[in-house]
Amino acid sequence: MKLFSGEIYEALLEHREDKAFLRPAICDAIDKQLQENNIVVITGREGTGKSKLSLELASIYNEKGYVIMKVDLSENYAIYTNINDALLIIDDKVYTSDSLNALMKHLLPVLLDKNIKVVLTCSNLDLETVRSVLEKDKLKDEVFIDINRCLNVDEKEKMLKRYLKTNNIATSASSESNFKDPNILTDLSVQVTLDDDAIKVIKNEEPWKGFPLCASLFSSNRKCLHLGEKYFTNPPSDLFEELKELYKTARENSNCIDTINEYCILVYIMNNSNHHLDLNENNLCRQFVELYQTLFQFKYTPERGSNEDKKIAIEKALHRMNNKYLRFQEGVYTFIHPCLSIAMFLSSDYMVHYLLQKGSLIDITELVRSKDYTGLENELVIKIDKDYHHILGERLMRHAFENLDALLLVTQYIYKYWRSSSNEMVNMIFSHIEFILFQSFGVKTDYLQQLDGEEVSENSIKAENQVSLSKIIMLVDELTYKGRDPWIYASGTDFLILSGLVTAAMGRYATNRNQTFDILLSEFQNRVHSESFVKQLRKPLDIYRNTFFHFLMIFSQKESCQILSLITGEKRIFDVENVKKFTPIDIAAYLGKRSVLEVLDLKTNCTKNIRNRLRRLARSGNIENFNGNSKNKMIDQAMVNETADDGTSPEKLQSEYADDEKKEVIDESKQNKSFLKKTFSRSKDKPYKTEKHDKLKCESEFIDILYFEDAMLNIVDFGKLEDYQACINLLS
């Protein structure tokens, strides 16, 4: 027996001197139950602060005159019942039903008479044992207080900052933080600074081992500090090592159905759309039989037992794992903590495949890395080789085109974690994008990536309505860090190069435009004599069947001319028509692209009839650009604000896909675009309308020629008044 002496006395003194300890609000609730029922059971995972709370209560009751005693379950229990006004702390590492039952048999009858208070702490694993003993004495449920999630965000922030201060860790703005600097691991003289943004993330986390313990270790160990918020979200190594061992044991002992059931239960909960297991599920046994075969090649033959026998075996496995990995709530079993999902991903090769196909985008971007990735010490990541690239690439692109936030998350992930590796991943991604885009237009492509014997196209076709060239350009723009780092062009697919050239011609690369474009132009020149590449130039890039050169004509003349000068020998490329039967040269003439027409030298390279038509287009474009706006006033504004791909207004699309640098590169000549309003409107019901040219009866007749996505039309580059006159002269 320890009567306010020895271990408990020293622990109490140390607790009172602990400046990092923060008394949480839950302490008052525990004290209230202690006063009402004379006994309270504090339950929680390792590191949640059970022992600290019991010491805080001991300190409070000692000041009230109570004798503080720590109970030893191996001693004679009578010694704890012969004293008045005592607070007994029962804080055993492992409880057994026999020892606890014997203590309570002597203790509970005298609690009120002797004014004895009992604080019992137990981990989740011992909760069932403790509850089974105390329920015999019909104690109220209120005496069981779970402190796993007892701290609110303010308490966690205060607690963390106290630990940081105790360990001489400074806090500051993000720009001044250095906690992720590798130098702090080796040079202890460096003052470590943690930024406020990291603290905001950390205070919202519920780590596996309890926030108080994690906050203490995080602040006192620089290896933990170096991981930042991941230290609070990642499962501890012993957890996923346990699961690895569970899987390994089940594999090596394939006849041990108990171990197989335990691992299959965890996989089942991950696979289930609600992430729970209900024993009353109709097809539960059949689904488990499928998991046996998939995970362990274990065939559950009829002679092995009935469905009822299988369900009983599953139920026994659930009971074994309850409060260890699972919790039972409202009739179903769920994971006891979210980080179990991450631990499961790390437990076997099968789970890596599952993560890439069905895991959340957040989990993928947090965990999956290239084979040659070198990250932080103790960082939990899954490194994959090129055999998985096609699965990951398809998954990333499925999300990238959902919305702007997802696109930014995907591009930041690729730029940060795949830039240092080879370009195989990016090439795979753009091959996949090419496949989706051309599949949606009914254009044959050679890319037919196989995924477990099935074509990727099944998922691709589902995404085809989300993919458009304007979004691909945004993707290219973000992957290259707004053109500052043209790493993706080191060796790329033809489609990647074409997407980059259109992006550059749009003026998106304002910061590093020349360097980026030079790289792209060199890649273009290397491919220009390839038959397959020339075929690529003729393929449509939007629902209006505009090709690469159609797009090139509506943007910067400088880039367009440099590209055209490399391929003027292949005239058939410029004869490709869009749905309105207009060629790239038609658009160049209509927009007054003087330099383009000079490069093409149309006086010697086309017939007089074609030149006459181009001259009429140039005159019509000139009139519409500078003089003829009367017809446009009658256009329905609702039609103007529609787009063919997602119903988003041009203004909204521009807002979503714009960046701060875009304003710097828009030419002043684009300020007056009111004449474009009619060209923005188009029939969504008949995007592939293929009508013949209306005869140009007069030069001022309006030509509905600019059939492009509205996001593209917002930055069309128009010729100046003198450019139109020069075009007309060139074609005369």
Side-chain angles (χ1 to χ4, degrees):
M1 177 182 73
K2 299 179 177 67
L3 179 61
F4 200 74
S5 61
E7 180 185 341
I8 189 65
Y9 178 64
E10 292 174 3
L12 192 57
L13 290 179
E14 185 179 337
H15 172 72
R16 286 171 172 170
E17 294 295 322
D18 186 2
K19 295 180 180 180
F21 175 75
L22 174 74
R23 179 180 174 178
I26 192 72
C27 192
D28 295 329
I30 295 172
D31 186 22
K32 181 180 178 182
Q33 289 301 323
L34 196 58
Q35 293 177 40
E36 293 178 356
N37 299 294
N38 283 57
I39 184 171
V40 68
V41 181
I42 305 174
T43 71
R45 297 188 305 277
E46 177 188 354
T48 48
K50 301 183 295 295
S51 298
K52 278 286 187 181
L53 284 175
S54 66
L55 288 172
E56 179 66 10
L57 291 167
S59 181
I60 294 171
Y61 278 82
N62 175 245
E63 291 177 356
K64 294 179 181 180
Y66 280 69
V67 175
I68 310 300
M69 304 170 67
K70 184 169 183 181
V71 174
D72 187 341
L73 293 177
S74 65
E75 291 182 334
N76 180 4
Y77 304 131
I79 61 178
Y80 300 113
T81 61
N82 293 329
I83 190 167
N84 294 319
D85 300 327
L87 176 71
L88 305 183
I89 297 175
I90 309 175
D91 189 15
D92 228 35
K93 296 296 182 185
V94 180
Y95 290 98
T96 65
S97 297
D98 292 340
S99 61
L100 191 58
N101 207 18
L103 171 66
M104 291 303 168
K105 184 178 179 180
H106 290 82
L107 196 57
L108 291 177
V110 300
L111 287 184
L112 293 177
D113 293 340
K114 298 282 187 177
N115 190 28
I116 297 174
K117 309 288 187 183
V118 178
V119 177
L120 189 152
T121 69
C122 73
S123 67
N124 289 342
L125 288 175
D126 291 319
L127 179 59
E128 289 298 322
T129 301
V130 173
R131 188 181 288 277
S132 64
V133 171
L134 297 182
E135 281 180 347
K136 294 178 183 178
D137 297 288
K138 299 180 180 180
L139 291 178
K140 298 178 181 179
D141 286 339
E142 287 82 355
V143 305
F144 293 89
I145 299 181
D146 185 346
I147 64 168
N148 280 318
R149 297 175 180 272
C150 70
L151 298 175
N152 59 45
V153 291
D154 291 334
E155 288 174 334
K156 287 192 285 188
E157 182 176 2
K158 290 177 182 177
M159 182 179 292
L160 177 61
K161 287 184 174 179
R162 286 190 181 186
Y163 279 118
L164 292 172
K165 184 178 181 180
T166 301
N167 290 280
N168 194 31
I169 309 297
T171 59
S172 70
S174 301
S175 59
E176 300 172 5
S177 65
N178 66 345
F179 68 100
K180 289 190 176 182
D181 188 340
N183 291 330
I184 71 166
L185 298 175
T186 55
D187 189 353
L188 299 182
S189 65
V190 175
Q191 168 70 55
V192 182
T193 305
L194 182 72
D195 63 73
D196 294 331
D197 289 339
I199 292 175
K200 288 177 183 177
V201 175
I202 290 170
K203 71 181 183 181
N204 286 291
E205 301 299 340
E206 290 290 346
W208 172 264
K209 284 193 173 180
F211 192 88
L213 176 61
C214 285
S216 175
L217 294 174
F218 177 75
S219 305
S220 60
N221 188 325
R222 291 196 173 194
K223 289 183 179 179
C224 301
L225 188 69
H226 189 46
L227 290 172
E229 57 270 22
K230 284 191 175 182
Y231 179 74
F232 290 82
T233 57
N234 287 346
S237 58
D238 56 351
L239 175 60
F240 64 81
E241 290 298 338
E242 279 179 19
L243 297 176
K244 278 185 179 180
E245 189 61 30
L246 178 64
Y247 178 74
K248 181 181 177 182
T249 303
R251 291 280 294 181
E252 293 175 349
N253 302 287
S254 57
N255 290 322
C256 181
I257 190 62
D258 290 343
T259 309
I260 288 175
N261 268 332
E262 289 178 5
Y263 191 80
C264 287
I265 284 169
L266 299 175
V267 175
Y268 178 92
I269 293 174
M270 286 195 67
N271 282 333
N272 185 276
S273 59
N274 296 315
H275 299 297
H276 69 224
L277 188 150
D278 185 350
L279 273 170
N280 296 317
E281 169 67 39
N282 291 331
N283 298 319
L284 182 67
C285 291
R286 179 183 61 78
Q287 293 180 60
F288 264 73
V289 169
E290 292 175 358
L291 284 175
Y292 299 153
Q293 178 63 32
T294 302
L295 295 170
F296 304 105
Q297 290 74 53
F298 172 78
K299 294 184 179 180
Y300 211 110
T301 55
E303 58 268 21
R304 291 183 184 271
S306 64
N307 277 349
E308 190 61 33
D309 292 334
K310 295 171 190 172
K311 185 172 286 189
I312 290 172
I314 294 170
E315 187 172 9
K316 287 181 178 178
L318 285 166
H319 286 316
R320 288 193 300 272
M321 294 195 294
N322 195 36
N323 291 321
K324 182 178 183 181
Y325 301 135
L326 309 175
R327 67 163 163 253
F328 185 68
Q329 197 171 17
E330 298 181 357
V332 297
Y333 289 89
T334 59
F335 286 149
I336 199 170
H337 192 276
C339 78
L340 263 163
S341 295
I342 299 176
M344 281 298 293
F345 292 143
L346 297 162
S347 66
S348 70
D349 291 339
Y350 170 81
M351 295 311 299
V352 175
H353 200 275
Y354 172 85
L355 169 62
L356 294 176
Q357 288 190 308
K358 298 182 180 180
S360 72
L361 179 60
I362 296 296
D363 285 335
I364 290 173
T365 55
E366 286 292 321
L367 291 173
V368 179
R369 302 289 183 265
S370 63
K371 197 70 175 177
D372 55 355
Y373 172 73
T374 54
L376 304 176
E377 187 175 353
N378 300 321
E379 183 180 12
L380 294 183
V381 294
I382 300 171
K383 296 183 181 181
I384 63 171
D385 56 30
K386 62 181 180 180
D387 292 338
Y388 285 105
H389 285 183
H390 64 285
I391 307 175
L392 177 60
E394 185 274 330
R395 182 68 195 280
L396 291 175
M397 288 307 99
R398 198 191 319 163
H399 289 290
F401 295 119
E402 289 177 349
N403 53 58
L404 180 61
D405 289 338
L407 185 142
L408 292 176
L409 176 61
V410 168
T411 53
Q412 288 164 8
Y413 163 69
I414 295 173
Y415 183 83
K416 186 174 182 179
Y417 296 117
W418 293 87
R419 182 165 50 99
S420 60
S421 61
S422 67
N423 279 39
E424 289 178 353
M425 180 66 174
V426 174
N427 292 344
M428 183 70 69
I429 285 173
F430 274 87
S431 293
H432 183 71
I433 293 172
E434 174 188 352
F435 177 77
I436 296 175
L437 190 68
F438 291 155
Q439 187 80 9
S440 66
F441 302 147
V443 178
K444 183 180 179 182
T445 176
D446 296 329
Y447 177 63
L448 291 174
Q449 183 66 50
Q450 297 296 313
L451 177 59
D452 284 348
E454 298 180 4
E455 292 182 1
V456 173
S457 57
E458 183 177 349
N459 285 326
S460 303
I461 293 172
K462 295 177 183 177
E464 66 183 32
N465 293 330
Q466 299 174 336
V467 179
S468 65
L469 190 61
S470 61
K471 293 180 181 179
I472 294 171
I473 286 170
M474 178 65 176
L475 180 71
V476 173
D477 196 31
E478 292 295 328
L479 280 176
T480 58
Y481 190 45
K482 302 289 191 298
R484 296 179 179 91
D485 186 359
W487 67 281
I488 61 176
Y489 304 118
S491 60
T493 63
D494 293 344
F495 185 77
L496 171 55
I497 298 302
L498 295 185
S499 303
L501 283 167
V502 172
T503 308
M506 285 178 66
R508 302 281 301 196
Y509 296 157
T511 305
N512 205 25
R513 184 171 183 173
N514 292 335
Q515 178 191 346
T516 301
F517 185 74
D518 288 345
I519 293 171
L520 286 162
L521 195 64
S522 175
E523 293 290 338
F524 184 88
Q525 189 170 14
N526 293 336
R527 291 165 166 75
V528 77
H529 300 297
S530 165
E531 184 178 348
S532 62
F533 186 66
V534 172
K535 286 182 180 179
Q536 188 86 299
L537 298 176
R538 299 175 63 87
K539 290 180 180 179
L541 298 179
D542 65 3
I543 61 173
Y544 310 109
R545 305 193 78 80
N546 290 304
T547 67
F548 169 72
F549 283 110
H550 283 91
F551 278 97
L552 209 58
M553 296 303 155
I554 68 174
F555 303 131
S556 168
Q557 288 197 71
K558 176 184 176 183
E559 281 79 5
S560 301
C561 291
Q562 287 181 267
I563 295 170
L564 291 174
S565 64
L566 299 177
I567 199 168
T568 51
E570 183 55 69
K571 295 298 181 295
R572 291 176 301 166
I573 293 174
F574 306 115
D575 295 335
V576 179
E577 299 175 337
N578 62 13
V579 294
K580 296 295 289 184
K581 294 294 183 181
F582 288 108
T583 68
I585 302 177
D586 293 337
I587 293 173
Y590 182 78
L591 294 177
K593 296 300 181 74
R594 171 185 179 178
S595 299
V596 169
L597 298 184
E598 286 177 344
V599 170
L600 294 175
D601 190 16
L602 297 177
K603 281 191 175 181
T604 58
N605 289 326
C606 67
T607 64
K608 182 178 179 182
N609 287 339
I610 292 177
R611 289 201 305 276
N612 288 340
R613 184 168 65 87
L614 293 175
R615 188 166 61 251
R616 289 195 295 271
L617 283 167
R619 287 173 177 166
S620 180
N622 178 26
I623 292 172
E624 291 300 330
N625 194 357
F626 297 104
N627 304 317
N629 294 321
S630 58
K631 291 184 180 181
N632 299 323
K633 295 177 182 178
M634 301 174 64
I635 301 301
D636 183 0
Q637 188 62 36
M639 291 281 290
V640 173
N641 289 336
E642 289 182 354
T643 63
D645 55 341
D646 58 12
T648 307
S649 68
E651 290 79 13
K652 186 176 180 182
L653 240 178
Q654 186 176 22
S655 174
E656 285 186 359
Y657 287 96
D659 57 85
D660 293 337
E661 297 166 347
K662 187 173 178 180
K663 296 178 182 178
E664 301 174 10
V665 297
I666 297 179
D667 194 280
E668 293 180 359
S669 65
K670 303 169 192 171
Q671 291 176 356
N672 181 11
K673 298 193 185 76
S674 60
F675 75 98
L676 269 177
K677 288 185 178 180
K678 181 164 184 174
T679 67
F680 284 3
S681 64
R682 43 197 174 250
S683 171
K684 295 174 72 173
D685 298 326
K686 298 180 180 179
Y688 287 96
K689 182 180 178 182
T690 54
E691 59 190 40
K692 295 182 179 180
H693 278 302
D694 293 327
K695 186 176 180 180
L696 301 178
K697 296 180 180 179
C698 67
E699 286 81 355
S700 63
E701 183 178 14
F702 184 80
I703 305 296
D704 196 7
I705 188 172
L706 295 182
Y707 260 57
F708 295 90
E709 295 177 63
D710 293 315
M712 302 295 183
L713 288 171
N714 282 325
I715 52 175
V716 172
D717 185 18
F718 301 98
K720 298 177 181 178
L721 188 60
E722 56 269 24
D723 290 329
Y724 279 100
Q725 187 57 53
C727 288
I728 294 170
N729 294 337
L730 283 170
L731 295 165
S732 298

